[in-house]
Amino acid sequence: QVQLVEFGGGLVQTGGSLTLSCVASGRTFTDYTMGWFRQSPGKVREFVAAINWSGDETYVTDSVKGRLSISRDNTKNTVSLHMNSLKSDDTAVYYCAADSREWPMVVASLKFLDAWGQGTLVTVSS
């Protein structure tokens, strides 16, 4: 079982930028499609972005496309979420997730079955 730990959350002003990182351990990192989800207060957890094992395919939800992007560094077992032009609506706990199924299956369902991190809080204030 892969273990995931997120880093990088914090307080940022509206319009600012922040990069979250998630470090994986315990299994071969390239066996996994990686993703980011978020949960705002009073809302259900929602999908944000996903990236395939090699990093050459990404999928970002429409609501954040152009502002948030995902990348991975397989030499460091790390997946990152790059966030720009942050809005108050981006305030949430952000979770990293892993799934060992093939990329098309993961993207079709947007469900990550293998592991989740503990989450990191991002607060966007004006």
Side-chain angles (χ1 to χ4, degrees):
Q1 185 80 357
V2 65
Q3 289 84 45
L4 306 174
V5 179
E6 299 98 336
F7 299 94
L11 178 64
V12 60
Q13 289 189 328
T14 301
S17 299
L18 199 64
T19 294
L20 305 181
S21 296
C22 170
V23 179
S25 63
R27 297 292 293 270
T28 302
F29 186 55
T30 50
D31 284 347
Y32 295 93
T33 290
M34 300 299 296
W36 286 95
F37 289 73
R38 68 184 183 184
Q39 186 166 17
S40 302
K43 297 185 179 180
V44 299
R45 188 178 298 185
E46 64 173 349
F47 168 80
V48 177
I51 189 165
N52 75 332
W53 73 273
S54 65
D56 61 359
E57 293 190 82
T58 63
Y59 179 64
V60 180
T61 195
D62 286 345
S63 64
V64 303
K65 198 171 291 183
R67 298 190 302 112
L68 276 61
S69 63
I70 187 171
S71 67
R72 68 189 291 164
D73 184 343
N74 289 337
T75 67
K76 297 180 180 179
N77 289 358
T78 300
V79 59
S80 298
L81 184 68
H82 308 279
M83 303 188 291
N84 298 304
S85 302
L86 284 163
K87 308 174 181 178
S88 57
D89 288 349
D90 296 317
T91 294
V93 178
Y94 284 75
Y95 298 91
C96 174
D99 194 299
S100 58
R101 294 175 297 159
E102 295 294 325
W103 170 254
M105 294 183 64
V106 178
V107 173
S109 68
L110 296 183
K111 294 185 185 296
F112 282 68
L113 304 182
D114 288 288
W116 289 79
Q118 81 290 349
T120 186
L121 176 62
V122 174
T123 303
V124 183
S125 71
S126 56

